[in-house]
Amino acid sequence: MIAVLRSELYRTATVRSSILALIVFGIVAATAGYLSDSFWALFAGIGTFGIAVMVTCQHYQHRTAMLLFLGEPNRLKILAAQSLVAMLLGVLLVGVSGIAVVASGEPERYLSTLAVSPLLAIFGVANATIVRRPLWLIAGWLAWLLFVEGIIYNLEGDMIFSAFLAAASGNTRGLLWVSIWTAASLPIAAWSIRRDLAGD
């Protein structure tokens, strides 16, 4: 497990697109933090989800998943290592981008967002393991966020991003629903990681 985790951390740190995505998501979230702490939480959540999807899907895009699975036949260990890396990147993204929110006098929002971001990172890894296509996944969830959660439900309710925003403001029901969404995605990801790579 430690070897897989070290390998994933090294790969993430040396692939330029991972670093670039982390920087871009961080800048967008930090800029939103100057406008509103709610905007910051939303963009920090989208960034956490997006970076988790990107670093997980890179194995399928770059055809390195086969080598990874040969090096570590227990694919659940790989899923756990990818989740840990995504959690670390998500916490880093939220921690750095939220400095403006803390400076504006909203430490509770900052700490709540920091606490719930690992769950959204795991949800991103699980989704990427299932779909394996980052563009489809990110575009699909952004459309879902905009049209379903945003326009139809006004970012209220128990759907994943609405629940994340509620949890980021300290709402325990939101935290519960983010946990439920994440827990529900993990068994599907655990089954999906065993799929053949020939179609990818």
Side-chain angles (χ1 to χ4, degrees):
M1 174 70 177
I2 299 298
V4 178
L5 183 58
R6 192 182 313 126
S7 167
E8 286 297 294
L9 284 169
Y10 177 77
R11 180 187 61 85
T12 301
T14 55
V15 174
R16 246 182 269 161
S17 61
S18 298
I19 300 300
L20 184 63
L22 188 61
I23 291 169
V24 168
F25 283 131
I27 289 171
V28 169
T31 304
Y34 284 104
L35 301 173
S36 159
D37 59 321
S38 297
F39 276 134
W40 167 75
L42 177 63
F43 285 107
I46 291 170
T48 298
F49 178 80
I51 197 73
V53 166
M54 287 189 64
V55 298
T56 305
C57 284
Q58 283 171 348
H59 276 303
Y60 302 105
Q61 284 182 301
H62 299 156
R63 307 291 185 194
T64 56
M66 181 70 75
L67 298 173
L68 182 66
F69 294 157
L70 287 173
E72 176 50 72
N74 186 343
R75 294 188 183 185
L76 292 181
K77 284 185 181 177
I78 293 168
L79 183 62
Q82 289 175 332
S83 296
L84 286 171
V85 169
M87 287 167 59
L88 177 68
L89 293 173
V91 166
L92 178 66
L93 174 77
V94 171
V96 173
S97 69
I99 293 171
V101 174
V102 175
S104 70
E106 291 289 341
E108 296 85 12
R109 168 81 73 170
Y110 176 79
L111 292 174
S112 297
T113 306
L114 200 59
V116 74
S117 63
L119 290 173
L120 198 59
I122 296 170
F123 182 74
V125 170
N127 275 255
T129 303
I130 296 163
V131 177
R132 298 181 177 176
R133 300 268 195 272
L135 185 60
W136 295 1
L137 195 53
I138 292 173
W141 276 112
L142 284 177
W144 170 269
L145 172 63
L146 179 63
F147 295 109
V148 178
E149 294 194 45
I151 294 174
I152 297 174
Y153 292 100
N154 297 317
L155 291 175
E156 295 175 359
D158 301 325
M159 291 169 277
I160 183 64
F161 291 105
S162 302
F164 174 81
L165 283 175
S169 65
N171 184 311
T172 53
R173 180 182 172 88
L175 181 60
L176 173 66
W177 275 101
V178 174
S179 302
I180 289 170
W181 278 91
T182 302
S185 67
L186 282 174
I188 303 168
W191 170 83
S192 184
I193 201 168
R194 293 185 169 92
R195 283 182 2 232
D196 189 14
L197 297 172
D200 293 314

